[in-house]
Amino acid sequence: MKSHNLLTGAGIGALMLGMSTAAFADNWRYAHEEYEGDVQDVFAQEFKRYVEENSDHSVQVYRFGELGESDDIMGQTLSGILQFVNQSPGFTGATIPEAQIFFIPYLMPTDMETVLEFFDESKAINEMFPKLYAEEGLKLLQMYPEGEMVVTADEPITSPADFENKKIRTMTNPLLAETYNAFGATPTPLPWGEVYGGLQTGIIDGQENPIFWIESGGLYEVSPHLTFTSHGWFTTAMMANLDFYEGLPEEDKKLVNDASDAAYAHTIEHIQGLAEESLEKIQEASDEVTVTRLNEEQIQAFKERAPQVEEEFIDMTGESGKELLEQFKADLEAVTEDEE
Ligand code: 6CS
């Protein structure tokens, strides 16, 4: 289990040091939500490599815990202390309600190739989301999937009835809480730093995350029953402070865009086979772990509850969310048709 130390006085001091406006141009600060070698770190390190090899700028990467929780690094980016941030819609969805679209269950396909094609080609992802993020002062540089969501709990879950009276941790957006309500559970929104301890002490009975993170964060040690429900993908987003980005000379804007493209391509390579490798590591490390893959009939019992979450999404987001959802579905249909 890696240490989850939060922002300390020393951390703030380190951040403030050299915080002159002149330094911003040359030393860019970039924070993400994960640990060394995890998917967001792979993206950030490749972004840094590209920037540093192709310019005189340098990039300082801060990992989870160095500057606080996900909401803290977003606040620091919006106030201009950081230039770049990787934050998942699981948290951004609290301020950009449309970003909660990723939590409508069974909307995304399960197969990775189709999902990747969707991220490359989707108008909703590549044209509509950048406008929504810009309204909040953010330049959206890349949205990307990290892995299929898997539920972990204190018992295997095979039906909505198994979720009864189970407190399932969700990221802190209201729609994901609706999903778990619809699934029959008691949703418990918490920031990441409280999840391992919460599972260990029984404050929560389960949670959802991609396999690589269940392995990396040691979640299987305290929540050993893994269920593949096929209900969604963990998606994330890398962005810049919009004023900072707009103020860059054209050549630096191009550098940032090219570095994001390079980081995306590299990260997509990285996630190929990652879930399988991580599951092997988990199974080698623990005899307690069980793996349940829901069959079609079992999936159907959860899928039946998706329309109420979709309705809730539209209630929360109005016309803007409705348009986004229609485009999202059209984009999904286009890539699914290609597969056939
Ligand atoms: O569950 C969470 O909160 C975390 N999960 C992942 C895969 N990345 C960062 C996020 O904070």
Side-chain angles (χ1 to χ4, degrees):
M1 171 65 191
K2 291 169 188 170
S3 72
H4 290 177
N5 51 324
L6 296 182
L7 187 58
T8 58
I12 298 174
L15 189 67
M16 302 298 279
L17 213 68
M19 229 187 73
S20 76
T21 35
F24 280 177
D26 291 319
N27 182 23
W28 293 337
R29 297 183 179 82
Y30 177 145
H32 65 72
E33 305 169 315
E34 298 183 351
Y35 304 109
E36 185 176 357
D38 287 333
V39 178
Q40 290 182 21
D41 195 47
V42 167
F43 191 105
Q45 300 301 335
E46 180 62 11
F47 180 87
K48 173 183 166 74
R49 183 202 63 75
Y50 189 97
V51 167
E52 293 180 354
E53 279 182 15
N54 291 283
S55 75
D56 290 335
H57 300 304
S58 58
V59 178
Q60 170 87 40
V61 175
Y62 298 92
R63 299 187 175 111
F64 179 82
E66 291 178 41
L67 301 177
E69 284 282 1
S70 182
D71 286 347
D72 299 316
I73 58 177
M74 177 54 87
Q76 290 152 15
T77 306
L78 290 170
S79 64
I81 296 173
L82 299 174
Q83 287 70 50
F84 299 98
V85 68
N86 196 133
Q87 189 185 55
S88 309
F91 297 108
T92 319
T95 41
I96 306 180
E98 292 88 341
Q100 300 175 108
I101 199 165
F102 297 102
F103 304 103
I104 299 174
Y106 298 101
L107 188 57
M108 299 280 281
T110 45
D111 130 79
M112 184 176 311
E113 225 177 288
T114 316
V115 170
L116 294 179
E117 207 183 324
F118 169 71
F119 275 87
D120 280 345
E121 293 177 15
S122 164
K123 193 173 157 202
I125 298 284
N126 298 301
E127 293 177 30
M128 296 174 89
F129 266 121
K131 290 187 190 133
L132 294 165
Y133 276 66
E135 284 168 18
E136 296 302 316
L138 295 162
K139 167 73 186 169
L140 180 61
L141 291 162
Q142 191 67 58
M143 276 189 159
Y144 60 100
E146 295 193 35
E148 185 187 334
M149 281 294 200
V150 174
V151 174
T152 72
D154 54 349
E155 286 172 309
I157 304 289
T158 55
S159 70
D162 292 339
F163 266 138
E164 208 181 323
N165 297 324
K166 289 223 185 291
K167 292 187 283 311
I168 302 295
R169 178 266 176 169
T170 61
M171 287 180 283
T172 52
N173 72 86
L175 196 76
L176 186 53
E178 283 306 321
T179 293
Y180 275 90
N181 257 329
F183 282 175
T186 306
T188 310
L190 286 175
W192 167 248
E194 292 176 36
V195 180
Y196 189 97
L199 289 165
Q200 199 168 30
T201 55
I203 289 170
I204 44 174
D205 305 306
Q207 61 87 46
E208 60 162 29
N209 253 306
I211 290 283
F212 87 85
W213 188 251
I214 294 168
E215 193 273 320
S216 160
L219 293 174
Y220 63 91
E221 299 162 357
V222 285
S223 189
H225 300 286
L226 278 53
T227 304
F228 286 74
T229 46
S230 302
H231 73 276
W233 282 72
F234 188 98
T235 295
T236 198
M238 189 280 208
M239 62 212 101
N241 173 299
L242 185 62
D243 288 341
F244 154 77
Y245 179 86
E246 304 252 282
L248 289 174
E250 283 313 310
E251 67 178 290
D252 281 348
K253 280 189 186 144
K254 183 174 177 333
L255 174 74
V256 164
N257 296 343
D258 291 350
S260 306
D261 289 348
Y264 178 60
H266 183 72
T267 306
I268 294 314
E269 281 288 304
H270 174 78
I271 65 170
Q272 305 289 335
L274 181 63
E276 292 75 11
E277 277 167 39
S278 306
L279 185 57
E280 266 174 43
K281 282 191 200 161
I282 291 173
Q283 286 177 314
E284 269 166 32
S286 166
D287 293 334
E288 225 195 316
V289 166
T290 66
V291 177
T292 304
R293 291 178 195 271
L294 299 189
N295 63 33
E296 273 312 312
E297 199 183 322
Q298 291 166 329
I299 286 176
Q300 201 46 42
F302 288 101
K303 219 183 226 179
E304 270 168 13
R305 298 167 180 230
Q308 68 195 78
V309 183
E310 192 172 305
E311 267 171 43
E312 194 61 44
F313 173 76
I314 293 170
D315 281 354
M316 284 180 188
T317 56
E319 210 38 53
S320 156
K322 204 165 163 223
E323 270 172 44
L324 180 77
L325 182 59
E326 276 165 20
Q327 187 60 51
F328 204 91
K329 284 184 176 174
D331 296 345
L332 281 170
E333 213 170 295
V335 292
T336 322
E337 267 168 19
D338 284 357
E339 299 301 304
E340 283 159 8

